Amino acid sequence: MHFIEAKTILTPQNGMNLYRGCTNHCIYCEARNRLYKEDHAFTDVSVKQDGCILLENMLKRKRTPCMIQVGMLADPYMDCEGELGYMRDCLKVIERYDCGIVIRTKNANILRDLDILSAIQKKTKCVVVVGLSAADEELSRKLEPEASGVAERIRIMNALEKNRIPCILSISVIPFLNDTEENLMGLLDIAKDTHVYGIEHNDCSIVLKKGSREYFFQELERRFPQKALLFARQLEQQEILSSPDRKKLLDILNAYCREHAIVIDQEILKRYKRTYENKTMGVQLSFSNIL
Ligand code: SF4
């Protein structure tokens, strides 16, 4: 980990990148592609040391509050956040400026901040996207070794439900590694039992571009040596890797979600994450009417 002085912390689309690079070591990580031109190793996380001040300055200048998206280039709750607490400081600013937030994580460190996430959800909208791609602990450790284990991620999802914070389960389906019906059903049962709002599935495919691709094949040899040959024969040249059982898996996903009232339409989920809500607007209006 190293600290940098940055000039900005929000992208034009309101993506917040407090950390760049990640230590979860997910085999299918697409952020490795987005950051492969950086001058440091992906796991040598760069930390914006004045991130909280930058954020406050940027939110001050915004005319209207917005949804802020966190977690596209790093898990904001990876181990270093446990020590630094920078994400917590940023959440306090986001809450103060009445913004909403979408956080992607695989780490139970997020439970520390449930109080602020609940406060944001009460005023506007807080959505947590929990990534989980295997229902079995051993397989999960091979796919996402430094993320929290399956039981811990279920604990996050239960805590979100208890605090009425909407959760979306994000599943990465990787051909030959976790694309079995048994694994999918295990994940769907977790989604149902924790009452998630929706499920993201990226069309039961992963995208491997430069940076992500080299890491995937290097780790495939190391973590799944017996499966490497299947890729060499069938999928090594492709940028989008889809399960040979993709259609069957999508049918199962759609039917299960319809039966259990889980949102599975990917466009609806995208819109839901982008749409800002202000739950206190009615109160503010009636207040100004009185005055
Ligand atoms: S949590 Fe996200 S950014 Fe971090 S290694 Fe996994 S896929 Fe990449």
Side-chain angles (χ1 to χ4, degrees), residues 148-259:
S148 295
V150 177
E152 282 293 273
R153 277 183 264 178
I154 294 174
R155 194 158 75 87
I156 302 172
M157 294 158 82
N158 279 323
L160 293 169
E161 209 244 326
K162 200 167 155 210
N163 285 273
R164 298 172 186 271
I165 297 169
C167 173
I168 294 174
L169 173 65
S170 176
I171 300 174
S172 296
V173 176
I174 309 145
F176 308 125
L177 302 191
N178 68 344
D179 60 342
T180 61
E181 196 174 323
E182 183 194 1
N183 184 50
L184 182 62
M185 287 308 297
L187 291 168
L188 289 173
D189 287 343
I190 291 171
K192 168 176 66 76
D193 294 345
T194 55
H195 300 104
V196 300
Y197 176 83
I199 297 180
E200 285 181 1
H201 56 67
N202 198 27
D203 209 21
C204 288
S205 306
I206 55 167
V207 181
L208 293 181
K209 295 187 182 165
K210 190 156 180 55
S212 309
R213 177 167 207 87
E214 294 76 359
Y215 183 74
F216 179 83
F217 284 105
Q218 168 202 311
E219 292 301 306
L220 183 70
E221 291 277 353
R222 208 174 59 79
R223 301 185 206 177
F224 298 92
Q226 70 287 13
K227 302 277 175 82
L229 201 57
L230 284 168
F231 281 87
R233 285 198 194 123
Q234 300 188 35
L235 296 168
E236 202 162 20
Q237 303 310 318
Q238 297 175 23
E239 192 170 278
I240 298 175
L241 268 57
S242 300
S243 165
D245 293 327
R246 179 179 152 274
K247 188 171 174 323
K248 183 177 85 180
L249 298 176
L250 283 171
D251 287 346
I252 294 171
L253 256 166
N254 286 319
Y256 192 100
C257 288
R258 263 198 312 273
E259 187 183 343

Side-chain angles (χ1 to χ4, degrees), residues 111-153:
L111 294 172
R112 179 199 65 190
D113 292 343
L114 272 179
D115 55 342
I116 311 180
L117 301 179
S118 296
I120 295 173
Q121 169 66 7
K122 277 187 190 127
K123 282 164 85 175
T124 62
K125 189 199 265 181
C126 171
V127 181
V128 179
V129 182
V130 176
L132 181 65
S133 296
D136 170 75
E137 291 281 3
E138 197 185 336
L139 180 56
S140 177
R141 264 196 304 279
K142 281 170 113 179
L143 295 173
E144 303 148 343
E146 301 300 325
S148 295
V150 177
E152 282 293 273
R153 277 183 264 178

Side-chain angles (χ1 to χ4, degrees), residues 101-112:
I101 192 164
V102 179
I103 303 175
R104 310 184 78 87
T105 188
K106 298 183 176 114
N107 199 305
N109 282 335
I110 191 174
L111 294 172
R112 179 199 65 190

Side-chain angles (χ1 to χ4, degrees), residues 21-32 42 71-75 78 104-106 143-144 147:
C22 183
T23 53
N24 281 353
H25 294 273
C26 304
I27 193 167
Y28 53 81
C29 176
E30 289 180 28
R32 284 179 178 269
F42 183 72
M72 296 308 285
L73 299 177
D75 184 333
M78 64 189 143
R104 310 184 78 87
T105 188
K106 298 183 176 114
L143 295 173
E144 303 148 343

Side-chain angles (χ1 to χ4, degrees), residues 9-10 13-17 55 59 62 65-71 87 90 93-95 97 99-103 125 127 273-274 276:
I9 190 166
L10 287 183
Q13 296 75 33
N14 298 319
M16 183 174 97
N17 43 35
L55 179 66
L59 293 186
K62 277 198 182 289
C66 58
M67 290 297 287
I68 292 176
Q69 316 275 335
V70 190
M87 182 65 190
C90 288
V93 173
I94 288 167
E95 196 263 341
Y97 282 83
C99 287
I101 192 164
V102 179
I103 303 175
K125 189 199 265 181
V127 181
K273 287 182 287 175
R274 277 197 308 256
Y276 175 77

